[in-house]
Amino acid sequence: MMKFARKPAKLLAAALCIGLLATGCSSGGSKQASSSDGKEVIEIKLAHASPAVNDRLEIAAQAFKKYVEEKSSGKLKVTTYPDSQLGAEREELEGIQLGSIQMGALSSGPLPGVFPKIMVFDLPYLFSTQKAAYEVLDGPVGKEILDLMKAETGVRGLAWGENGFRHFTNSVRPIKQPSDMQGLKIRTMENPAHMAIVKSLGGSPTPMPFNEVYTGLQQKTIDGQENPLSLIVSMRFYEAQKYLTLDGHVYNPYILMINDDFYNGLSDDLKKIVDEGSLIWQKVEREENNKQVNAGLEKLKAEGLEITELSLEQHKAFRDASKSVYETIGKKEVGEELLNKVVKAVEEAESKK
Ligand code: EAX
């Protein structure tokens, strides 16, 4: 399994600031006086990896921008950078830790490198309903994980959004049982838990940044990939894929995040506006994602993908085959205490009607 260096974020940030005299290093943000009326404007760069059009993440980022700019009467200025314009998700995360990028909306792809406990939500088949996922993420357990993330990385989580349930696609054969994955090169995020899931099912995990996946599929350096329906459509992965298996192996959240020093440097009024804007982001992002997932399934059918829905028995075979990930990643990387707490919270949430 790939090992990632854990970066002492603040030390690294300090070293870079000394070396480069980069602007905004100390506060993690960038402030400038506008020339027209001399009023101070605080600039926020908000980065993500999703497409600039037809994807829920940019729609939600625009809703956040609109709210905070209006509410702050222009004191906060938000510029969105979709489509990995400021780098792949790993670079975006590093930028947020350093403060050269103030905000991002990121999936769990690059996070385990600096915060392995986040992989508790990357364990296979942990959630089976979206409702339970919302309840756990928005409840005390979700807050505890964001608090741990802030302490370990210097990045504050503002709200949980939704990338969604991840499913396998490939260009070789329908996947109906784990043995159908044998020998398939499946691109995963650079996330050890996702790699371990593919391996446990018999596939060959191939970690790769998100912005290289389309080309990888086209050039057949990979046979398949796994993502929520919304991204399979908005990234046009279906153009090079024939088979889709709706197994939902991971419910993948997005985190709207901000450099914590930058956040702490804001006045109380502006902090409140950012917090409120984050809840608007969450609502819009989840609503739009739901629309795109529903429309996505129709689109993929229309594009001629062969879609496999697993029976309960077939699904159990995938769950059983991937159980080892709860040991290797769950117990060893996340730690038993947090693992047990999350599993209990999920069971409670799923038992509610
Ligand atoms: O922003 O890399 C991926 O497969 C993700 O779903 C991506 O992080 C979404």
Side-chain angles (χ1 to χ4, degrees):
M1 181 182 301
M2 218 158 135
K3 276 265 167 210
F4 296 104
R6 289 179 202 164
K7 288 196 186 67
K10 293 205 169 153
L11 273 182
L12 181 61
L16 280 180
C17 285
I18 292 162
L20 301 173
L21 289 176
T23 49
C25 279
S26 57
S27 70
S30 94
K31 296 183 183 183
Q32 63 174 42
S34 88
S35 47
S36 55
D37 58 3
K39 195 176 66 178
E40 186 185 58
V41 175
I42 300 174
E43 303 233 21
I44 296 177
K45 292 183 184 148
L46 196 173
H48 65 85
S50 277
V53 288
N54 299 333
D55 190 275
R56 70 279 197 254
L57 222 45
E58 181 59 17
I59 295 172
Q62 290 297 330
F64 175 83
K65 171 184 167 71
K66 184 167 185 290
Y67 183 84
V68 302
E69 289 185 350
E70 276 174 20
K71 273 278 169 172
S72 69
S73 310
K75 278 194 208 128
L76 292 174
K77 179 174 185 307
V78 178
T79 308
T80 68
Y81 293 88
D83 224 358
S84 305
Q85 285 168 10
L86 299 182
E89 283 194 317
R90 172 182 297 275
E91 281 93 55
E92 291 174 346
L93 177 62
E94 284 170 2
I96 297 165
Q97 285 192 279
L98 292 169
S100 55
I101 302 172
Q102 289 71 44
M103 288 184 69
L106 299 188
S107 76
S108 64
L111 268 170
V114 289
F115 180 50
K117 286 187 170 66
I118 193 68
M119 288 189 286
V120 73
F121 293 130
D122 295 303
L123 295 171
Y125 309 103
L126 175 70
F127 286 107
S128 48
T129 68
Q130 186 187 46
K131 189 168 164 281
Y134 289 176
E135 186 171 326
V136 172
L137 293 167
D138 298 343
V141 170
K143 182 177 181 314
E144 183 178 333
I145 289 170
L146 293 183
D147 286 346
L148 286 169
M149 181 178 87
K150 186 172 65 184
E152 290 186 23
T153 65
V155 175
R156 170 185 291 259
L158 292 165
W160 294 99
E162 170 167 273
N163 197 1
F165 280 104
R166 303 182 74 96
H167 308 291
F168 291 109
T169 66
N170 82 94
S171 58
V172 179
R173 63 177 88 96
I175 297 171
K176 300 189 169 167
Q177 54 199 3
S179 60
D180 294 329
M181 301 254 297
Q182 203 64 43
L184 295 187
K185 285 180 88 172
I186 305 287
R187 177 270 173 179
T188 66
M189 297 201 281
E190 299 164 283
N191 177 316
H194 290 228
M195 294 165 67
I197 294 171
V198 170
K199 201 156 178 232
S200 72
L201 297 174
S204 174
T206 311
M208 184 186 281
F210 188 53
N211 51 347
E212 294 171 20
V213 178
Y214 182 82
T215 309
L217 294 172
Q218 288 276 342
Q219 297 180 346
K220 298 217 183 302
T221 49
I222 42 177
D223 299 311
Q225 62 85 47
E226 46 79 57
N227 253 297
L229 297 178
S230 30
L231 284 178
I232 295 171
V233 172
S234 65
M235 295 295 286
R236 308 176 76 87
F237 292 155
Y238 60 84
E239 289 179 353
Q241 299 284 270
K242 291 197 190 114
Y243 306 101
L244 164 68
T245 298
L246 296 169
D247 75 309
H249 47 277
V250 167
Y251 174 87
N252 196 204
Y254 275 123
I255 302 176
L256 183 67
M257 51 180 73
I258 189 165
N259 176 291
D260 194 41
D261 288 343
F262 173 77
Y263 179 88
N264 288 326
L266 298 175
S267 68
D268 287 349
D269 286 354
L270 294 182
K271 279 184 188 137
K272 187 163 172 277
I273 291 170
V274 168
D275 291 346
E276 289 165 356
S278 302
L279 293 179
I280 289 171
W281 173 89
Q282 179 187 60
K283 189 168 177 291
V284 171
E285 202 276 334
R286 284 177 175 170
E287 277 173 11
E288 288 295 325
N289 189 56
N290 281 321
K291 280 189 219 158
Q292 292 191 358
V293 164
N294 293 334
L297 194 57
E298 294 312 309
K299 166 82 178 158
L300 295 175
K301 277 184 196 156
E303 289 292 335
L305 258 76
E306 186 178 320
I307 300 176
T308 300
E309 288 188 55
L310 300 173
S311 67
L312 284 179
E313 201 183 323
Q314 283 173 320
H315 202 252
K316 186 170 181 302
F318 283 82
R319 298 175 89 103
D320 289 348
S322 59
K323 276 226 164 77
S324 59
V325 182
Y326 281 76
E327 293 291 322
T328 53
I329 299 291
K331 286 194 184 159
K332 295 209 180 100
E333 298 284 334
V334 172
E336 248 173 290
E337 198 189 326
L338 184 62
L339 172 67
N340 292 340
K341 195 183 275 186
V342 169
V343 168
K344 188 162 168 271
V346 174
E347 280 169 2
E348 277 171 17
E350 301 235 328
S351 68
K352 288 183 196 162
K353 282 282 166 245

